[in-house]
Amino acid sequence: MTPSPPTVLVLDADPPPRLGRLTGRARVVRTDAAHLADRLPAADVLLVWDFTSGAVREAWPGDGPRPRWVHTASAGVDHLLCPELAASDTVVTNARGIFEQPVAEYVAALVLAAAKDLPGTLAHQRERTWRHRETRPVAGTHACVVGSGPVGRAIARVLKALGVTTALVGRVPRTGIHGPDDLDRLLSRADWVIAAAPLTERTSRMFDAHRFDVMQPSAFFVNVGRGGLVDEEALARALERRWIAGAALDVFAAEPLPADSPLWELPGLLVSPHMSGDTFGWRDRLGAQFVELYERWAAGRPLPNVVDKARGYVPGH
């Protein structure tokens, strides 16, 4: 008797992933959050396509077997890790390799837009106002990138091409990477502060009133990491009191950002809807990456992008 193919359970989102290459090699079952818990015991693999959902954290604890491998179509894994999953033998992988360069390009665009006052230019154009201004140089400025993983390193490379001297801050100090003890000193000298760290117990709300107070009044803050890295009330106060020059947030504690959130109208803040890594074709690249990983998994070969579930990110950087 021919053995049945492994079952791949997909926590779906619209549009769904293109998994046609798995035809005949896997039984693909799609589910929504409401039915995830019921279908987990029958799955060999879980693809978390809806990476904005916290359904895995809620559904994983319980009776019955659990998938041997979980892959999330995102860089961050805080939306799915729970104590039971972290303690299990299940392998967790992420979408490392898909978002790094797009996020770095987005950060560079924000830096250039802030330095050259492009929002002001557009506002004056709408008002038909001819107002000559001088703008900030970018070359020769300093950036502090918090998060020394692939995204943070890509940001540093792109900023370097613009002539920006960049310091990377990671979990532990090593060659070319500063440790947490250097953070306040680096923030006090930075023209651009970029948050690109994973969300863990150690990084939650790390950008608080103290950190914004340490920054220069001319500093511009960018968060392309996770919304939970920032105390949003502290950031609001820092902008209202002009402790810093401006900020751009692409991620938020609550997403989508509620329509009644005061962040929408906060002076000096640019709001974008978690789009810094999403370039044309990104979903197709995520689907193709999963298929390639599945082929390795089905063949018994080691998987790349394996998350250290205790740390909450892929180690080795």
Side-chain angles (χ1 to χ4, degrees):
M1 179 181 293
T2 303
S4 57
T7 296
V8 175
L9 182 63
V10 181
L11 179 57
D12 234 338
D14 189 36
R18 296 181 180 180
L19 302 178
R21 285 170 52 190
L22 296 185
T23 301
R25 295 188 288 169
R27 176 174 174 262
V28 178
V29 177
R30 302 185 187 278
T31 187
D32 57 14
H35 297 92
L36 178 62
D38 294 334
R39 293 173 179 167
L40 273 177
D44 298 291
V45 178
L46 173 62
L47 168 57
V48 185
W49 189 251
D50 185 0
F51 52 81
T52 66
S53 171
V56 176
R57 283 201 309 262
E58 299 174 6
W60 194 271
D63 298 328
R66 289 293 182 263
R68 291 173 283 159
W69 168 36
V70 174
H71 177 75
T72 180
S74 62
V77 297
D78 53 281
H79 60 290
L80 59 88
L81 284 182
C82 61
E84 292 81 2
L85 174 54
S88 72
D89 294 332
T90 296
V91 175
V92 176
T93 57
N94 73 352
R96 181 178 180 180
I98 300 294
F99 298 109
E100 290 85 344
Q101 184 63 23
V103 171
E105 293 172 359
Y106 198 86
V107 169
L110 291 171
V111 167
L112 290 169
K116 304 309 175 185
D117 191 27
L118 296 188
T121 297
L122 292 172
H124 293 316
Q125 180 178 344
R126 285 192 294 268
E127 298 167 358
R128 297 174 180 262
T129 301
W130 184 273
R131 181 172 297 175
H132 179 271
R133 289 109 61 217
E134 295 178 344
T135 62
R136 297 176 65 182
V138 173
T141 60
H142 293 78
C144 176
V145 178
V146 182
S148 60
V151 172
R153 296 200 303 271
I155 291 170
R157 287 195 301 270
V158 172
L159 292 182
K160 181 179 179 181
L162 296 176
V164 179
T165 300
T166 304
L168 277 169
V169 179
R171 180 174 177 269
V172 293
R174 52 201 184 277
T175 303
I177 307 294
H178 296 270
D181 291 345
D182 292 333
L183 181 56
D184 284 359
R185 175 178 60 82
L186 294 170
L187 292 180
S188 70
R189 302 175 181 179
D191 301 288
W192 317 102
V193 176
I194 318 297
L199 181 59
T200 67
E201 290 184 0
R202 297 179 63 171
T203 63
S204 178
R205 296 166 70 90
M206 66 181 298
F207 288 98
D208 55 11
H210 165 73
R211 292 276 159 65
F212 291 118
D213 186 47
V214 167
M215 296 179 197
Q216 301 183 85
S218 59
F220 189 86
F221 175 74
V222 176
N223 187 12
V224 289
R226 306 297 286 177
L229 298 175
V230 178
D231 180 337
E232 292 176 350
E233 292 183 2
L235 173 61
R237 288 194 299 272
L239 289 170
E240 289 167 347
R241 299 174 184 180
R242 300 191 182 280
W243 291 348
I244 61 175
L249 300 181
D250 186 56
V251 288
F252 300 85
E255 294 184 7
L257 186 64
D260 60 354
S261 170
L263 294 176
W264 288 106
E265 298 182 351
L266 199 61
L269 177 63
L270 175 65
V271 170
S272 59
H274 204 148
M275 58 180 282
S276 61
D278 302 345
T279 53
F280 295 124
W282 66 283
R283 291 184 178 88
D284 290 340
R285 291 190 288 274
L286 285 171
Q289 181 187 54
F290 174 73
V291 170
E292 291 171 4
L293 292 177
Y294 178 85
E295 291 171 345
R296 294 178 66 98
W297 177 83
R301 298 163 57 197
L303 288 170
N305 297 6
V306 174
V307 173
D308 182 325
K309 292 180 290 184
R311 297 182 183 181
Y313 55 87
V314 178
H317 49 64

